[in-house]
Amino acid sequence: MVRLLGRSWARSTPRPGGLRARRRRDRPRRARARRARQTPRHPVDPRGAHDGGQGPSAGLRSALGGRSVAGQVFVLQVVIVLLLVVAAVVALVLQVRHDSTQEATNRSLAVAETFANAPGTRDALSTSDPTTVLQPRAEAAREQSKVDFIVVMNTDGVRYTHPKPDRIGKTFVGTLEPALEGRSFTEEITGTIGPLVQAVVPVKSDDGEVVGLVSAGITTENVGGVADRQLPLLLTAAAAALALALGGTALVSRRLLRQTHGLGPFEMTRMYEHHDAVLHAVREGVIIASGEGRLLLANDEAHRLLDLPRNAEGRHVLELGLDTDTAGLLASGRVATDEVHLVGDRLLAINQRPTDLKGGPAGSVATLRDSTELRALSGRAEVAREHLKLLYDAGVGIGTGLDVTRTAEELAEVAVPRFADYVTVDLADAVLSGEEPEAGTDLRRTAFSGIRKDAPLYPVGERIRFVASTPQARSIGTGQAVVEPSLREAPGWLAQDLERTAQVVEYGIHSLIIVPVRVGHLVMGVVNFWRSEKPEPFDEEELALAEELVARAAVSIDNARRYTREHTMAVTLQRSLLPRNLPEQSALDIAYRYLPAQAGVGGDWFDVLPLSGARVALVVGDVVGHGLHAAATMGRLRTAVHNFSALDLPPDELLGLLDELVGRIDQDEAAEDSSAAITGATCLYAVYDPTSRKCTVARAGHPPPAVVSPDGSVEFPEVPAGPPLGLGGLPFETAELTLDEGSRLVLYTDGLVEDRDRDIDVGLELLRTALAGADRSPEDTCQGVLNALLPDRPSDDIALIVAGTRALGADRIAEWQVPSDPAAVGEVRASVTRQLTEWGLDDLAFATELMLSELVTNAIRYGTGSIQVRMLRDRSLICEVFDGSNTSPHLRYAASTDEGGRGLFLVAQLAERWGTRYTPAGKVIWTEQPLP
């Protein structure tokens, strides 16, 4: 019975493990709800505020939590119902168990007494085999009496009968003493067939002697059968009662939950205290009115703002003495958002919402906010916000470039019309040229911006000398800002120019702020802020804003001034290092363009260098970087090229020497400053010979040259690129081009064909298109290329050379092969004399014969291989002696006793220039004489 009751209780009661698990799952939610309840707040909607918006099931779970008043009542009621049901079931089970046991005792005793007193039982015990007689009778009586056994035994307890035959003859299990004494009795024991209730009755003879014993009994299992059959009905009734009790309790708890919003007693008390404290502490008035328009609640602020009487609660809103509009709004309960009402001397912003939007009671809640001071604060805050926005825009919009004038214009533009109606910026001329200004009041109007263009102020570009009484002169002298609230009453300003100032005042400009453009101790000018539209004069707060605005702009103006100075210095240095005039020569018709970058000075350069033998060298180079360092490096490289070209070196050898020079420059700078940048440079060197129309080209990391044929077609010949100068270790290679007379050789730097927005391949194609065309002079070609490829604001220097080729005609060239025989010198002199006579240069015959005699004699005496003499009639008379020797002759001064050593001395005295150049086959000694 106990086990059955336990199983039934287990089925009808939640498992402890499941309940604990559910509590663990609900713990975060309960913690959040507890934190929310600990924060003072307005009453919430009972349908969703505490159940997370999940409906009745969530509310019931909240009630089952046991922390709220509803939950505590629910748990208490459930416990009471469960205790009553359990007590009733236990009592009933015990009663049924007792009644069943009593019935089993009575039945077993009656059956045992009946069988013991039955006719024949006593006689059978006296027979020799009682079992044969009594066993059938006992089984028949057992089946009829519904007991589990009837056992007949002798006085020693040996069984004569038993439901299980194998138990016959064995000793009876139980107590026999009371029966042997002649008394009947019952007992509960565990016998051979299990736990049972049995009765033992004596069988007596006629004289009262006990001759045998009869025992009848029922097992405990059969005894509890009645209780088991009644228990399901009993448990069903208990479960139904429990379900009804739980349902009723849940309904009551749910209603209580709605009333208490799921709060516990302590929380309800604390919430009330918090709500009451918050309600009366907020700076907004709170009024709650019923659906009929009666005042239910008003906090202290509402009493103060509306001047309500002490007994206002409970009275109708219309009876509180409020103005009609305000009282009508509060009594109507309609929705209102920031409606402004004049109550006494206050402007109240009223917000009102009904309380029955989500099932609450009919009525309305209104909040009152005094906006009188707020509007004034809002206006001041809006002005401050606009000032901050102006300063932010000034920081972004002023100083976008490094031009002094443009920076001044940006300052004027950003302040109009947001701060002033007109703004003028006056700077010293020295500032505009990048220098530091000297003390004085002579300024030039640099920028103007205004809401109209016809203001009678000094125009841009005019030089102004401010008189000592003007606020501008005072500001420059003291370095402090000055405000003139009323220009009509400012005699110092009026004295500047009586006619113009009168026009300004008549125009409507009435107030002025002057702020010096100052960086440290340096005052570069003044900024004038003029007001005409607003009738109020400038005040001290606006003066502070103007000072901040000009202070930010002054830094940008000073940066632009410094940049202007450095840029001017760099441009001056660069132009001083570039060729100012091209040398005279007849081999090439040259036009060029050089354009410095807008943002800074670069290191691009070019040069045209006349060489011996009527040849001309063209060079174009580019130093990486900008500024003075790049310009200075460019000057060093240009000077080096001049010196190396004087040695008549081939282009590849000359670039090799330049490469070593750049490497040494890097080493020197690195030794002085470990952080110095490595110098990088590119260069292209070309030598054109008009006698053979050959052009030898070598380049070091530079863009290739372009060649325009006389028919107008353009090609970029394959010239080995070579590494940029300064890398070292790699040789340079040359390419030899044969150019038709009238061709155009185009050399340029990468700034022409490459830009941030244009790849070099695209630039080369644009250059090809711009160069195409026949019968164009080098000058026209230069201009056409720049028109087609020049960007609006070049970010790099651009150097461009267009050289039209010429050829030295055969009638201006004379050549002779000279045998290695001293007697041939006379024949050379004769041939030279004839050729000079033919050219009309008889005046040069003596000197030319003498020089060639000495040079040819030296070649025969000291040279090797074949000897050749060549004369060229160009801008000068050029004489050249070729031989196969690589030894270089040296000029020396012979003593009076020396027989030789005067040949080269005579050559140097007679020729304007002379020198030696080396060829793959030997060397050439040349001289030049000016034509008469």
Side-chain angles (χ1 to χ4, degrees):
M1 179 66 68
V2 175
R3 289 196 300 272
L4 291 174
L5 181 58
R7 287 196 297 272
S8 176
W9 174 256
R11 287 193 298 271
S12 62
T13 304
R15 296 178 62 186
L19 182 58
R20 287 194 297 270
R22 185 162 59 254
R23 285 177 177 171
R24 285 195 298 271
R25 291 193 299 271
D26 292 344
R27 189 174 299 145
R29 179 182 58 79
R30 292 200 304 272
R32 289 193 299 270
R34 184 164 61 253
R35 288 194 299 269
R37 290 195 297 270
Q38 290 173 355
T39 303
R41 52 199 169 97
H42 294 289
V44 295
D45 178 31
R47 296 181 300 174
H50 291 281
D51 59 9
Q54 299 176 5
S57 62
L60 185 56
R61 289 196 300 271
S62 178
L64 287 175
R67 294 184 180 275
S68 64
V69 173
Q72 292 176 4
V73 172
F74 177 80
V75 172
L76 180 60
Q77 291 178 344
V78 168
V79 170
I80 292 174
V81 170
L82 286 176
L83 290 177
L84 291 175
V85 170
V86 170
V89 170
V90 171
L92 184 58
V93 169
L94 293 177
Q95 183 63 38
V96 170
R97 176 76 177 268
H98 177 269
D99 294 345
S100 298
T101 303
Q102 188 63 38
E103 180 184 357
T105 301
N106 294 338
R107 187 191 305 177
S108 61
L109 182 58
V111 171
E113 289 179 345
T114 301
F115 194 85
N117 296 323
T121 300
R122 182 176 56 186
D123 295 337
L125 289 173
S126 61
T127 63
S128 60
D129 189 7
T131 299
T132 303
V133 177
L134 297 175
Q135 177 69 13
R137 294 180 181 178
E139 288 301 307
R142 181 180 66 80
E143 292 178 358
Q144 291 179 0
S145 60
K146 305 299 183 181
V147 295
D148 290 328
F149 66 88
I150 298 176
V151 175
V152 182
M153 67 196 87
N154 59 17
T155 55
D156 294 329
V158 177
R159 299 185 185 102
Y160 292 140
T161 65
H162 197 279
K164 295 181 179 180
D166 59 337
R167 299 288 194 270
I168 298 173
K170 296 183 179 180
T171 303
F172 177 75
V173 179
T175 303
L176 300 178
E177 285 76 9
L180 293 176
E181 294 176 356
R183 292 182 291 109
S184 299
F185 72 96
T186 60
E187 64 177 345
E188 295 183 15
I189 65 169
T190 300
T192 57
I193 60 175
L196 50 86
V197 177
Q198 64 183 4
V200 181
V201 178
V203 180
K204 300 179 181 179
S205 63
D206 292 339
D207 56 1
E209 183 183 357
V210 177
V211 296
L213 303 173
V214 176
S215 175
I218 301 175
T219 61
T220 302
E221 182 179 356
N222 291 332
V223 173
V226 177
D228 290 343
R229 288 191 297 272
Q230 294 177 350
L231 187 59
L233 179 60
L234 177 63
L235 293 179
T236 300
L242 180 61
L244 290 175
L246 288 176
T249 303
L251 292 176
V252 173
S253 299
R254 182 188 176 107
R255 183 173 182 84
L256 187 58
L257 177 68
R258 291 167 61 94
Q259 296 292 335
T260 61
H261 302 294
L263 300 178
F266 174 74
E267 292 171 329
M268 290 181 64
T269 302
R270 183 172 58 186
M271 184 189 72
Y272 174 78
E273 294 173 349
H274 287 180
H275 280 201
D276 187 66
V278 172
L279 184 65
H280 295 289
V282 293
R283 290 294 304 275
E284 289 190 357
V286 178
I287 287 181
I288 301 178
S290 66
E292 295 80 15
R294 294 193 175 276
L295 181 63
L296 300 179
L297 183 146
N299 68 347
D300 294 343
E301 186 69 8
H303 275 269
R304 186 183 70 84
L305 295 176
L306 298 177
D307 195 17
L308 297 176
R310 290 182 177 276
N311 59 347
E313 281 82 357
R315 297 171 58 183
H316 200 280
V317 174
L318 300 177
E319 301 174 358
L320 300 178
L322 302 175
D323 65 278
T324 305
D325 291 340
T326 305
L329 172 61
L330 297 177
S332 66
R334 65 179 174 83
V335 175
T337 302
D338 287 337
E339 285 193 14
V340 180
H341 290 256
L342 180 61
V343 180
D345 59 349
R346 295 186 179 94
L347 284 175
L348 301 184
I350 302 177
N351 292 274
Q352 184 167 267
R353 295 292 184 274
T355 59
D356 57 352
L357 293 178
K358 297 183 179 180
S364 62
V365 177
T367 60
L368 316 173
R369 186 175 66 254
D370 189 353
S371 62
T372 306
E373 298 178 358
L374 182 62
R375 284 179 176 266
L377 291 174
S378 174
R380 290 196 294 270
E382 180 64 22
V383 172
R385 187 192 67 81
E386 292 178 357
H387 288 178
L388 289 175
K389 182 66 166 57
L390 175 62
L391 293 176
Y392 172 78
D393 292 342
V396 175
I398 299 176
T400 58
L402 291 173
D403 182 79
V404 175
T405 301
R406 180 55 193 156
T407 304
E409 292 173 351
E410 291 171 345
L411 168 60
E413 291 169 359
V414 79
V416 175
R418 299 163 62 179
F419 179 68
D421 299 319
Y422 301 92
V423 175
T424 57
V425 182
D426 304 326
L427 299 176
D429 287 335
V431 174
L432 300 177
S433 60
E435 303 298 329
E436 292 188 2
E438 298 179 357
T441 59
D442 290 357
L443 304 178
R444 188 175 299 278
R445 180 133 299 172
T446 307
F448 167 83
S449 180
I451 57 176
R452 293 191 298 272
K453 301 298 182 182
D454 57 346
L457 300 171
Y458 287 115
V460 173
E462 183 166 343
R463 185 181 178 85
I464 307 171
R465 178 185 292 273
F466 291 104
V467 298
S469 64
T470 59
Q472 288 87 348
R474 296 201 310 271
S475 179
I476 294 173
T478 62
Q480 301 297 322
V482 178
V483 59
E484 289 288 353
S486 177
L487 294 180
R488 291 182 179 274
E489 303 173 359
W493 175 78
L494 293 171
Q496 170 66 31
D497 186 340
L498 296 178
E499 181 180 357
R500 185 178 294 274
T501 54
Q503 293 175 355
V504 171
V505 173
E506 184 180 355
Y507 186 78
I509 298 176
H510 60 83
S511 187
L512 170 65
I513 290 179
I514 303 98
V515 182
V517 182
R518 181 168 58 92
V519 176
H521 67 281
L522 183 65
V523 178
M524 296 176 286
V526 293
V527 180
N528 307 282
F529 299 92
W530 313 83
R531 174 171 287 178
S532 63
E533 295 295 318
K534 294 178 63 175
E536 300 85 2
F538 285 114
D539 55 24
E540 293 298 326
E541 183 177 349
E542 291 169 322
L543 176 62
L545 175 62
E547 289 179 323
E548 179 66 22
L549 184 63
V550 175
R552 298 190 178 195
V555 176
S556 299
I557 292 176
D558 189 54
N559 289 339
R561 179 190 67 83
R562 293 172 181 270
Y563 172 79
T564 300
R565 180 182 60 186
E566 294 183 3
H567 183 73
T568 302
M569 292 173 57
V571 169
T572 302
L573 173 63
Q574 185 183 42
R575 291 195 179 279
S576 67
L577 296 175
L578 290 173
R580 299 183 181 182
N581 297 303
L582 295 182
E584 295 182 357
Q585 45 83 33
S586 303
L588 297 171
D589 181 12
I590 295 177
Y592 68 92
R593 294 291 188 276
Y594 179 81
L595 298 175
Q598 295 291 332
V601 175
D604 293 13
W605 93 93
F606 67 93
D607 231 327
V608 178
L609 306 172
L611 302 178
S612 63
R615 297 171 305 135
V616 177
L618 300 177
V619 59
V620 175
D622 183 6
V623 176
V624 176
H626 296 82
L628 292 175
H629 178 75
T633 303
M634 176 268 290
R636 298 169 73 176
L637 294 181
R638 180 170 178 259
T639 302
V641 171
H642 269 267
N643 294 331
F644 294 151
S645 65
L647 300 176
D648 259 334
L649 297 175
D652 55 340
E653 294 184 17
L654 186 142
L655 291 182
L657 294 176
L658 279 181
D659 182 55
E660 294 180 5
L661 174 64
V662 173
R664 286 196 298 271
I665 292 175
D666 289 338
Q667 292 177 2
D668 295 341
E669 292 183 353
E672 296 177 0
D673 184 1
S674 58
S675 62
I678 299 300
T679 301
T682 63
C683 184
L684 186 147
Y685 189 83
V687 176
Y688 176 69
D689 188 349
T691 62
S692 61
R693 294 180 289 105
K694 301 287 185 181
C695 183
T696 306
V697 184
R699 63 188 179 115
H702 203 81
V707 175
V708 185
S709 300
D711 60 1
S713 61
V714 182
E715 65 173 342
F716 295 94
E718 292 291 337
V719 178
L725 299 177
L727 296 183
L730 296 175
F732 298 94
E733 301 180 36
T734 60
E736 190 173 83
L737 312 176
T738 300
L739 304 179
D740 296 332
E741 186 175 8
S743 299
R744 283 166 285 167
L745 179 65
V746 182
L747 309 182
Y748 52 91
T749 57
D750 58 357
L752 180 67
V753 295
E754 189 175 14
D755 195 67
R756 294 188 184 94
D757 302 326
R758 183 173 62 199
D759 189 71
I760 188 171
D761 294 334
V762 176
L764 290 176
E765 288 302 318
L766 292 176
L767 178 62
R768 183 193 300 273
T769 303
L771 290 174
D775 299 330
R776 296 175 64 186
S777 66
E779 187 67 30
D780 293 340
T781 303
C782 276
Q783 192 59 44
V785 168
L786 293 184
N787 293 338
L789 278 78
L790 185 65
D792 295 333
R793 290 183 59 84
S795 59
D796 195 5
D797 293 4
I798 295 175
L800 173 65
I801 298 179
V802 178
T805 61
R806 299 170 182 167
L808 197 62
D811 59 335
R812 304 175 67 179
I813 303 174
E815 295 181 308
W816 301 278
Q817 292 291 335
V818 179
S820 184
D821 183 1
V825 175
E827 296 179 4
V828 170
R829 286 199 299 268
S831 300
V832 167
T833 302
R834 288 193 298 270
Q835 186 64 50
L836 290 177
T837 301
E838 183 179 345
W839 285 344
L841 300 177
D842 294 327
D843 294 342
L844 300 178
F846 174 77
T848 304
E849 289 180 6
L850 184 57
M851 287 188 294
L852 286 177
S853 296
E854 292 295 334
L855 295 178
V856 171
T857 301
N858 286 339
I860 294 173
R861 181 177 299 175
Y862 304 109
T864 60
S866 62
I867 302 173
Q868 182 181 359
V869 176
R870 186 175 70 167
M871 282 199 313
L872 305 176
R873 183 186 177 188
D874 193 29
R875 289 182 172 274
S876 61
L877 179 63
I878 303 172
C879 299
E880 298 177 333
V881 176
F882 299 81
D883 66 59
S885 172
N886 288 325
T887 60
S888 175
H890 297 283
L891 177 64
R892 62 188 181 90
Y893 298 92
S896 57
T897 57
D898 292 339
E899 294 183 0
R902 299 179 176 83
L904 287 180
F905 180 78
L906 291 175
V907 171
Q909 294 296 317
L910 296 175
E912 184 180 39
R913 297 172 59 221
W914 74 280
T916 305
R917 72 171 182 270
Y918 294 92
T919 67
K923 70 174 182 295
V924 178
I925 301 177
W926 54 269
T927 64
E928 288 187 9
Q929 303 175 72
L931 297 180

